[in-house]
Amino acid sequence: MTALAVFQLLSKRRDTDSIYRDLRQRLGRGILLGLELFVAADVIYSVVVDVTFETVGVLSIIMLIRTFLSFSLEVELNGRWPWQNKD
């Protein structure tokens, strides 16, 4: 991703603002994918280990934090709330 942006900057194929926005979108989407994979891994881990109130509590807190981060990043990338129309 970064190498492509550097190449585009050096070859001056596009303006700097559009290269920056494109790189930012790609990095954000990668981070969102990673957060979703971490959530899935935590759910699988919670099924495998001994289920206690402590592990369920820790899992729920981690899931809330990661869900908030995903939501915030999605709003930042799209510039609108998820329930708003694209128009």
Side-chain angles (χ1 to χ4, degrees), residues 23-78:
L23 177 64
R24 188 171 167 228
Q25 287 282 326
R26 288 182 184 183
L27 285 173
R29 294 290 170 206
I31 292 170
L32 275 175
L33 178 63
L35 283 172
E36 290 176 12
L37 290 175
F38 276 132
V39 167
D42 285 338
V43 169
I44 291 171
Y45 177 76
S46 69
V47 171
V48 173
V49 298
D50 294 330
V51 180
T52 62
F53 284 116
E54 183 179 349
T55 58
V56 170
V58 169
L59 176 66
S60 63
I61 291 170
I62 290 172
M63 297 275 287
L64 284 173
I65 292 170
R66 289 189 179 150
T67 302
F68 175 75
L69 287 174
S70 295
F71 180 76
S72 300
L73 191 56
E74 186 73 33
V75 169
E76 178 68 25
L77 288 174
N78 293 329

Side-chain angles (χ1 to χ4, degrees), residues 71 75 78-85:
F71 180 76
V75 169
N78 293 329
R80 60 181 172 77
W81 297 107
W83 55 83
Q84 290 177 328
N85 292 333

